[in-house]
Structures are given as structure tokens and as C-alpha cells.
Amino acid sequence: MTDTARSTTRYGTRPTMKDVAARAGVGLKTVSRVVNGEPGVTPDTERRVQEAITALGFRRNDSARVLRKGRTASIGLVLEDLADPFYGPLNRAVEEVARDHGALLINGSSAEDPAREQELVLALCARRVDGLVIIPAGDDHRYLQPEIAAGVATVFVDRPAGEIDADVVLSDSFGGARDAVAHLIAHGHRRIGFIGDQPRIHTAIERLRGYRTAMAEAGLPVDESWVALGSTEPERVRTAAEAMLDGPEPVTALFSGNNRVTVTVVRVLAGHARRVALVGFDDFELADLITPGITVVAQDAARLGRTAATLLFRRLEGTDEPPQQRVIPTRLILRGSGELPPA
């Protein structure tokens, strides 16, 4: 590399329209016209400008255009955990709808932490996203009111917003849980345990409500030692499952409240001498290859994401309908574990 090349190579410095103009031997306004597709430039001049753009690796800086138009053609997606397989199809569906509308998707994970959720949401708003799709970790979203009033369209998914009225798209957690437990009851079970997520989470409470409703409709009592809500950490789930399986009135079936709980329960049951029926809420990879296959209540994650994103862009296009709640049905998939009779 020559001394001249070294002196002009600056890591982290992007070429500007001035650089393009100097290389092409034209004025700054001419470069602006070419970059923005405006008329008034001869074919030969346009060719020289495009050659300079290619040679320098110039990319248009949209910041000034954003400030003029007030729109960034970008939306934010705040998930609970980017590593959770459940969110893959949801993320992809939101991205596809955004792409159809010429928008960029920016996403991040709240790690189920309300403070981190707020920090991430406000950071996206500071970057002037046009809209937000949020799987909420917290239960107080009044911090978003100034952003929504300023025109940031917002749709919540999987759980409703707290303390504000906003669009929300939910799975039928109550109905899915009720169907799962009724299915176990129909196969002869009377002592059914429920291991769910943390009680502050809307979906955990709805699934617990579905469990209790199915038991009540069958005229079955619920021993409170059969119910355990809390962290989805494997050690907590393992302890809860073993207590239900080995207690004085051991359960003959388990209903697990989400895919992370189900995976730990499967491991517990693999080392348990007695055969115990299991239905899990949420499908998960390889659930059909275990013996017996795991019966699950499947959510349509892609439909959740697609519905939320479509509703978001309707808001961005100006619809002034009152906040809506959309509920997406679940589906019970029978694979064998939920059809085992009591031991």
C-alpha cells in the first residue's frame, strides 16, 4: 500500500456525496439528483456519478430524509427471548409483513425483565421507529403513552399491555389449557398436576385458569400441591415435578405450561419408574420423535406475528378504530403421551 493510500484510508469513515462529486468531476447538487432519482442529469453525467458511487462504495445516508419526512420505514420487535424456538416463526412472519410494506425490522430481547423491556423499547423509539410489536415482560406500559401520542403505532403480542389501552394479539391460552386437561380427564386421569410459568405472566394465569376450569367441569377437586407456578429454570421445574410424582397423593398426569417446562418434565419422566401421562402447552422440536411422542397444545406463532404486523401497518396507514383484541385458536396434537391411561 502506498503512503498516499495509507493517508486516505480511514477506518470507520464513510464516503460522502462530496467525495462522489470530486471523483466524478461534477457538482454536489448533481450527485444529489442521481442519488435521489431526480431528473435533470444527462446520461453521460449519470454514468460518471454511478461509477464514482461504485468505486467509493458510497451509500446514501437517510438521516436527513428521515427528519424531513418524520418516517424511518422501520419497525421494532421486542421479544422475550430470541433463542426460544417459539419466537422464530413469529419473528419471521413480522419480518415478511414489514418487507411487504418496504420496512426494515429491528428486534431485541427483553430477557423477561420489565426494566430491560422499557430500556429497549425507548431506545427503539429514540431511533425513530415507526411502530412497535411487543411481547411484554412488564405489567405497566404507561411509559409508552408519550411515544404512542407522538404517533408510534404499537401492538402487543401473547400478553396484553398493562395500564394502557392498546391493540393485542393473543393465543387462546385459556381454551388450549382447558382442552388439554379435559383430554387427560377423558383418558381416565383424576390427579393431574400443573407446572406453569411465573404468576405475574398473563399466559401463565390464563393456562392455570383453563386447568382449574376443566377440573371443575369434571367435578374433580384440585389439591394445591398439584399446582406449581414459578421460574422455568430446570431445577425449579424438576423439584416441582418430583414433588408431585412422589407425594402421598401422586399425580398420574402432568400438564406443563410452556415448551421450556415440558422439556424438563420429559427429562424427569425419563428417569421415573411409573408411566405418567403428559400434555405440554407449545410444540417443540423433536416432540414427535420421543417415545411416546409428546401430546401438545400448539400455538400458531407465525399467525400471531402476521396478525400483529398486519394490524400495526393498518395503524400506520391511518386507521382510527378503537384498540382491538384478536385471539388466535390453538390446536391439540395427539402423539401418545397424553393418551396414556393412569398407571
Side-chain angles (χ1 to χ4, degrees):
M1 183 182 289
T2 66
D3 290 341
T4 302
R6 286 194 188 96
S7 67
T8 57
T9 300
R10 296 164 296 167
Y11 178 77
T13 302
R14 297 179 178 181
T16 66
M17 284 203 290
K18 282 186 178 180
D19 298 326
V20 174
R23 186 179 182 97
V26 299
L28 190 60
K29 181 61 178 175
T30 299
V31 176
S32 177
R33 284 179 176 146
V34 173
V35 168
N36 293 301
E38 296 173 0
V41 181
T42 66
D44 181 64
T45 300
E46 182 175 359
R47 176 185 55 77
R48 296 206 321 271
V49 171
Q50 291 291 2
E51 286 175 353
I53 286 171
T54 301
L56 293 172
F58 171 79
R59 295 291 182 273
R60 182 175 68 186
N61 183 347
D62 283 340
S63 298
R65 297 173 70 249
V66 166
L67 290 173
R68 287 197 304 272
K69 294 184 176 182
R71 295 285 291 273
T72 62
S74 63
I75 64 170
L77 172 60
V78 178
L79 302 166
E80 175 194 345
D81 182 358
L82 288 168
D84 189 329
F86 171 75
Y87 292 117
L90 189 153
N91 184 97
R92 179 65 179 272
V94 173
E95 185 175 28
E96 287 177 351
V97 174
R99 185 175 181 180
D100 288 344
H101 287 80
L104 176 70
L105 177 66
I106 306 169
N107 58 30
S109 171
S110 70
E112 200 60 63
D113 180 348
R116 184 166 168 176
E117 173 211 299
Q118 180 172 341
E119 179 184 7
L120 179 56
V121 166
L122 293 179
L124 289 167
C125 290
R127 284 159 177 75
R128 303 185 66 135
V129 293
D130 300 323
L132 292 162
V133 175
I134 302 173
I135 290 88
D139 55 9
D140 187 347
H141 293 92
R142 285 174 291 183
Y143 71 86
L144 259 172
Q145 284 179 325
E147 309 299 336
I148 293 172
V152 180
T154 306
V155 177
F156 289 80
V157 181
D158 196 41
R159 308 161 192 169
E163 306 296 334
I164 64 172
D165 289 327
D167 294 316
V168 60
V169 181
L170 306 170
S171 284
D172 186 6
S173 285
F174 168 77
R178 182 183 179 185
D179 290 346
V181 177
H183 181 72
L184 290 168
I185 293 169
H187 283 80
H189 296 278
R190 299 297 177 263
R191 298 196 303 275
I192 302 170
F194 173 60
I195 305 177
D197 209 333
Q198 303 196 49
R200 63 180 175 79
I201 297 175
H202 171 80
T203 49
I205 294 303
E206 284 296 285
R207 290 166 198 176
L208 174 60
R209 190 166 70 89
Y211 162 82
R212 290 191 184 279
T213 298
M215 294 290 278
E217 288 174 344
L220 299 175
V222 174
D223 188 315
E224 292 308 312
S225 67
W226 300 345
V227 176
L229 298 184
S231 160
T232 59
E233 289 297 317
E235 190 55 39
R236 197 282 304 185
V237 175
R238 176 178 292 276
T239 299
E242 289 175 346
M244 294 181 194
L245 294 169
D246 299 328
E249 289 288 332
V251 299
T252 64
L254 287 168
F255 171 48
S256 51
N258 63 35
N259 53 6
R260 285 163 293 179
V261 173
T262 305
V263 168
T264 300
V265 170
V266 168
R267 291 191 172 114
V268 171
L269 295 181
H272 203 270
R274 183 164 49 90
R275 284 165 65 88
V276 175
L278 170 65
V279 178
F281 205 108
D282 292 337
D283 205 355
F284 62 98
E285 192 173 4
L286 305 183
D288 56 332
L289 298 182
I290 299 169
T291 303
I294 306 303
T295 296
V296 297
V297 177
Q299 302 187 74
D300 192 339
R303 187 175 171 187
L304 280 170
R306 189 166 53 251
T307 303
T310 300
L311 186 52
L312 183 77
F313 279 98
R314 284 186 60 196
R315 292 293 179 195
L316 290 173
E317 289 161 4
T319 182
D320 58 355
E321 299 170 335
Q324 298 182 25
Q325 176 174 294
R326 306 276 183 88
V327 179
I328 308 300
T330 57
R331 182 166 58 100
L332 186 64
I333 301 177
L334 312 183
R335 294 192 179 119
S337 69
E339 294 70 63
L340 295 173

